[in-house]
Amino acid sequence: MADADAAVPPVVVPSSAPPPAPPGGAPPKATHHGRVAAPVASSNEDTEELPEFEPFGALGPRGFPSLAEYLDISKVDMVKERDEVNHQQHHTDRFNTNFLIVRRGQEFQVKITFNRPYDADKDKFAVEFGIGPSPQFSKRTYMPVFPTPEQQSPWAGRVVVAAGPEVTMGITPTADAIVGRYRLYVAVVTPYGIRRTRPDDSRDLYILYNPWVKEDVVFLEDEEERDECVLNESGVIYHGTWDDIAERNWNFGQFDFGVLDACLYVMDRAGMPIVNRGDPVKMARIASAMLNSRDDDGVLVGSWSGDYSYGVAPTSWTGSTDILLRYYRTRKPVGYAQCWVYAAVFNSFLRCLGIPARVVTNFYSAHDNDGNLKTDIILDENGRIDRKNTRDSIWNYHCWNECFMARADLPTGFGGWQAVDATPQETSDGMFRCGPASVRAIKHGELCFPFDAAFVFAEVNSDVVFHSRKRDGTMEVVKVKKDHVGRLILTKATGSYDSRDITELYKFPEGSVEERTVLEKGEVYGCARDQSTLPEADVELRLPALEVAVGDDFELCLEAVSRSGEPRTVDAYITCSVVYYTGVTSADFLFKTPTLELDANQSVKELWQVPARSYMKKLVEQANLHFIATGKVKETGQIITAMKVVALHMPKLSIKVSGLNKVNELMVATVDFTNPFSFVLEHVYVRVEGAGVLSPAFKYYGLIPGGSRMTWTEEFTPRRAGPTRLIATLDCAALRQVSGQLELDVLP
């Protein structure tokens, strides 16, 4: 019986508990084993060295044969000095680098010195290029280049000069070659096998996109625009309001030491296959996701909270170099960014790799509109804003990028400028990214074209719809403003620090037949508009323009203008709020309820004095005041509205330089600031940099008392001749985006 009991199998009790974790507690990882022969090559940093000797057959028992009597390589000169032919002809002489950097589709030269005079009839050699792990000819990640016309590969090769043992090879990569860092070898054919140069980092080279070559899909014909959008490092980004535009200077720094490696690392971090890196459409789309950290540990952490304790305030940055190098060095996202920081760093990324790019600012940009063309503002029955139920917002401005490229995936005519946006707003194909979207497609309402054209279309074309909410919860459309959103779209002009209005690239003139046709087409693709037909009111509210410095008292004016032949009475509400530049309200600081009596065809003004103390303690970063006036005309029941955003003007920094204004000569930059307020500024950071002359630097001040002066001097040695701009910022919790700039022309 005991034996019978022992034979009874144990009872298995079902359990809902998950299976035990693998050793160490780490979750299981997906692998390529059993699915593909090898993992997809997606790291430019990882390289697989080619063997120094590659025998044609099995080696004999004595091992390697003697190769002393055959051609051997003594020296390889990459011709990589800035003043030599390669960097000059390829427009890469501004890169601060120890490596050769060239552009695809264009010949560059390499000088090879052999151990004896080269005999073209007898000697056979090739220059080999490899990129990434496991380079393969079929994947275009391994490319041999031959010196004779009888034997050629996709990359063209020729002997430019042969003089004794020294041969100058001309090498032309294809115009669609993979962009990235390559390893170069020189290989010589012997009867026993192929002998190669030893791996040597100094012979690595970078191949970039080439907007100077017609065969490259990023070719940009306009020379001035090409120089501006590829070679210029000093940028201007526009902010503020459409009728009071402010400028933010920025050093894109695309040629600074380490920035190119950082940009390639961004693609490695994204896991972008090496074979896809010759396609600027794929490159820009992946980069638009990788520049933010929302779902892939990308470059920048976004924050609009006002608390930047664990990083740098968005308003404090002066350029992209520090951001990209921090990300490359730490392998962690960098804090913090808002839309213009995302756009500026994205611009640096694109220009560094050779894709023409520019930063664009859209004033009054619609957001949170659920893919339609309506931004809804809810009013109560008396015409006052119902903040509890108003969820949509209009950003005072929003920055994105445009990059220039052909679009083989779209019908003819839709290449050229493409909108891309790294600010995380909405997901596209499951990730926070936007574009590239053809700007021409946006203008003409072709919203089915990839990628995300409908989203950008809504940002520049939405209507502002005012609804009156009844006590029973029902709502009635009482006012539609069709010309508020997308009021003005600006970018920096080519060859100057002026602005350029490019609104007409995105939309037809307001009220034109073409605009009506495009909006109707947009509805076909799901961008619904409000179809309310409302009679035009015969009374108009106006809020005249204001220019106010932070800390100043000012006079607020509300004007009512009647076009009626009869008297009119308007019960008005005016709400004054402190808002973030995203249109989100922080706090109200003034509320008035005037009643305006107007005779026939009369205008009436109501004035209020607004003391600085009413708004100063409520200010948030960028110091925007938002005024919304609504009114109800007693005689007609019509609702009338007016809106105005005022960006308070900040004090300025002063920058001066002293010393010989020449390359490699010591100079001193002096940054000067006086606290204009009666209160103390605490935990103040001052930053300064200049493209090609002064690397990013900063200084911390614990306190700057009211009325006191701060002076900071920083030594620097210009690395490059030509015009440039020094940029400085001062930033603390009580005072954001204080800046200054100085133009400098460095002599050789």
Side-chain angles (χ1 to χ4, degrees):
M1 293 297 293
D3 292 339
D5 290 340
V8 176
V11 177
V12 178
V13 179
S15 171
S16 60
K29 294 183 178 180
T31 72
H32 70 278
H33 297 298
R35 184 169 58 89
V36 292
V40 174
S42 59
S43 174
N44 202 167
E45 286 190 332
D46 296 338
T47 58
E48 184 174 308
E49 308 296 356
L50 300 182
E52 281 187 60
F53 184 72
E54 192 173 341
F56 289 144
L59 292 174
R62 297 184 180 180
F64 289 98
S66 174
L67 303 175
E69 61 182 289
Y70 303 108
L71 189 70
D72 196 5
I73 306 103
S74 301
K75 179 183 176 184
V76 179
D77 179 0
M78 298 298 291
V79 195
K80 60 185 179 181
E81 298 302 320
R82 291 188 197 177
D83 57 352
E84 291 185 296
V85 61
N86 285 335
H87 281 145
Q88 291 293 319
Q89 291 186 353
H90 285 255
H91 308 279
T92 54
D93 55 299
R94 300 186 189 185
F95 277 97
N96 185 8
T97 182
N98 298 320
F99 295 93
L100 175 63
I101 301 175
V102 296
R103 301 186 187 276
R104 63 188 192 176
Q106 182 176 342
E107 185 180 83
F108 65 93
Q109 296 180 7
V110 174
K111 292 180 180 178
I112 306 163
T113 304
F114 296 104
N115 62 335
R116 60 168 172 77
Y118 166 68
D119 185 341
D121 295 327
K122 184 175 66 173
D123 298 324
K124 293 182 179 180
F125 77 92
V127 182
E128 299 175 315
F129 298 86
I131 182 171
S134 61
Q136 302 173 56
F137 182 79
S138 62
K139 302 288 188 183
R140 302 190 308 148
T141 54
Y142 165 76
M143 197 64 62
V145 181
F146 304 99
T148 59
E150 295 78 27
Q151 188 179 16
Q152 287 290 305
S153 72
W155 290 20
R158 69 185 182 100
V159 174
V160 178
V161 177
E166 186 175 282
V167 174
T168 300
M169 269 282 285
I171 300 160
T172 306
T174 56
D176 63 349
I178 294 169
V179 167
R181 180 171 176 164
Y182 286 76
R183 179 141 291 185
L184 179 145
Y185 302 86
V186 179
V188 174
V189 178
T190 74
Y192 303 102
I194 299 172
R195 70 192 307 176
R196 291 187 176 88
T197 50
R198 293 178 179 177
D200 187 341
D201 289 350
S202 69
R203 290 197 293 269
D204 287 1
L205 74 155
Y206 297 81
I207 295 179
L208 309 180
Y209 295 100
N210 195 344
W212 282 266
V213 168
K214 289 184 178 180
E215 293 76 20
D216 198 316
V217 292
V218 301
F219 172 66
L220 179 56
E221 187 172 10
D222 188 304
E223 183 177 357
E224 284 190 10
E225 199 159 43
R226 186 174 60 221
D227 288 350
E228 173 69 38
C229 296
V230 179
L231 300 180
N232 189 17
E233 294 174 89
S234 298
V236 178
I237 302 171
Y238 299 98
H239 64 109
T241 63
W242 77 276
D243 56 353
D244 187 15
I245 297 164
E247 298 179 353
R248 179 179 282 111
N249 290 275
W250 194 271
N251 175 29
F252 295 122
Q254 66 265 36
F255 304 125
D256 285 349
F257 187 85
V259 168
L260 178 53
D261 284 321
C263 292
L264 296 179
Y265 171 70
V266 170
M267 293 295 95
D268 286 357
R269 188 68 175 266
M272 183 180 189
I274 295 285
V275 295
N276 291 340
R277 299 191 189 186
D279 185 341
V281 176
K282 293 177 180 177
M283 184 77 83
R285 182 149 178 80
I286 289 177
S288 74
M290 275 304 300
L291 265 294
N292 69 72
S293 63
R294 282 294 294 268
D295 39 29
D296 45 21
D297 285 334
V299 178
L300 283 159
V301 179
S303 177
W304 285 259
S305 68
D307 181 6
Y308 308 116
S309 305
Y310 296 98
V312 177
T315 46
S316 187
W317 297 113
T318 50
S320 305
T321 301
D322 195 13
I323 294 169
L324 287 167
L325 294 185
R326 283 190 191 203
Y327 183 68
Y328 184 44
R329 184 176 65 251
T330 66
R331 271 37 180 179
K332 295 179 180 179
V334 179
Y336 292 99
Q338 293 175 6
C339 71
W340 73 89
V341 182
Y342 285 115
V345 178
F346 201 175
N347 213 57
S348 303
F349 173 91
L350 294 165
R351 289 187 182 184
C352 183
L353 296 181
I355 301 173
R358 60 193 186 189
V359 177
V360 167
T361 301
N362 176 38
F363 288 96
Y364 294 152
S365 192
H367 286 252
D368 306 325
N369 47 34
D370 301 320
N372 58 33
L373 293 180
K374 297 183 290 184
T375 299
D376 299 311
I377 295 179
I378 314 302
L379 310 175
D380 64 21
E381 287 185 298
N382 296 316
R384 182 178 179 179
I385 284 195
D386 182 349
R387 295 205 181 276
K388 180 180 178 181
N389 291 292
T390 298
R391 303 296 174 87
D392 286 358
S393 65
I394 301 172
W395 293 28
N396 299 343
Y397 66 90
H398 178 53
C399 300
W400 61 75
N401 301 83
E402 290 179 354
C403 52
F404 195 92
M405 61 187 69
R407 291 292 298 269
D409 58 326
L410 301 182
T412 303
F414 289 95
W417 291 112
Q418 312 290 313
V420 286
D421 193 347
T423 302
Q425 301 167 85
E426 303 290 336
T427 57
S428 172
D429 295 334
M431 300 184 76
F432 283 94
R433 58 183 167 190
C434 181
S438 166
V439 173
R440 180 175 172 82
I442 294 164
K443 179 174 181 177
H444 290 269
E446 301 292 350
L447 307 186
C448 62
F449 293 164
F451 299 89
D452 309 311
F455 183 81
V456 184
F457 183 82
E459 286 184 299
V460 300
N461 283 300
S462 286
D463 295 336
V464 182
V465 182
F466 292 85
H467 303 262
S468 178
R469 189 173 188 272
K470 309 301 182 186
R471 293 183 181 179
D472 61 3
T474 60
M475 292 195 294
E476 175 189 2
V477 175
V478 293
K479 179 76 175 178
V480 179
K481 292 179 74 70
K482 296 182 179 294
D483 60 351
H484 187 72
V485 170
R487 182 71 66 90
L488 179 66
I489 305 173
L490 292 181
T491 190
K492 179 182 175 294
T494 58
S496 77
Y497 288 105
D498 297 331
S499 63
R500 177 186 171 191
D501 183 351
I502 58 170
T503 311
E504 54 90 17
L505 296 182
Y506 281 84
K507 53 201 296 190
F508 289 100
E510 201 72 42
S512 65
V513 174
E514 294 89 347
E515 186 215 26
R516 192 177 309 116
T517 301
V518 166
L519 293 176
E520 290 172 356
K521 189 186 294 184
E523 290 192 85
V524 173
Y525 294 116
C527 286
R529 301 175 64 214
D530 186 87
Q531 301 295 340
S532 304
T533 303
L534 303 173
E536 186 176 356
D538 55 15
V539 179
E540 178 185 3
L541 289 181
R542 296 176 182 172
L543 289 166
L546 278 172
E547 290 192 12
V548 183
V550 65
D552 284 358
D553 301 340
F554 64 93
E555 185 177 76
L556 176 64
C557 174
L558 175 64
E559 182 179 11
V561 180
S562 173
R563 294 186 297 273
S564 171
E566 300 176 4
R568 290 287 185 255
T569 301
V570 178
D571 290 327
Y573 297 82
I574 182 164
T575 305
C576 308
S577 311
V578 171
V579 296
Y580 296 89
Y581 85 97
T582 56
V584 176
T585 299
S586 172
D588 294 338
F589 66 89
L590 186 69
F591 179 68
K592 298 291 182 181
T593 58
T595 297
L596 306 172
E597 304 281 352
L598 295 95
D599 293 331
N601 299 306
Q602 185 193 22
S603 66
V604 172
K605 292 182 179 180
E606 192 83 22
L607 302 174
W608 298 274
Q609 295 299 317
V610 181
R613 65 177 181 275
S614 67
Y615 67 82
M616 277 297 291
K617 289 187 178 181
K618 299 178 180 179
L619 283 183
V620 293
E621 58 189 68
Q622 300 197 46
N624 291 304
L625 306 182
H626 192 203
F627 304 95
I628 298 183
T630 59
K632 189 171 186 178
V633 182
K634 281 187 177 180
E635 290 78 7
T636 63
Q638 292 177 319
I639 300 293
I640 53 178
T641 64
M643 296 188 292
K644 175 69 64 178
V645 176
V646 175
L648 299 180
H649 293 197
M650 294 295 170
K652 291 291 183 182
L653 287 175
S654 163
I655 309 177
K656 296 179 181 178
V657 295
S658 58
L660 289 174
N661 192 16
K662 294 181 66 176
V663 172
N664 296 327
E665 294 286 348
L666 185 65
M667 298 183 69
V668 177
T670 302
V671 181
D672 191 89
F673 174 76
T674 300
N675 181 357
F677 306 113
S678 58
F679 55 85
V680 174
L681 299 178
E682 298 179 324
H683 306 300
V684 181
Y685 284 90
V686 184
R687 296 175 184 271
V688 66
E689 68 177 290
V693 293
L694 176 57
S695 297
F698 76 90
K699 191 173 181 65
Y700 171 76
Y701 292 87
L703 297 172
I704 302 180
S708 68
R709 180 182 177 185
M710 172 225 79
T711 301
W712 170 36
T713 59
E714 184 73 16
E715 294 183 345
F716 66 99
T717 303
R719 303 183 300 271
R720 194 174 63 227
T724 187
R725 188 176 259 199
L726 294 183
I727 304 165
T729 63
L730 179 144
D731 201 88
C732 64
L735 192 63
R736 302 287 188 197
Q737 65 182 26
V738 175
S739 63
Q741 68 280 333
L742 176 70
E743 292 185 42
L744 196 63
D745 195 356
V746 179
L747 302 175

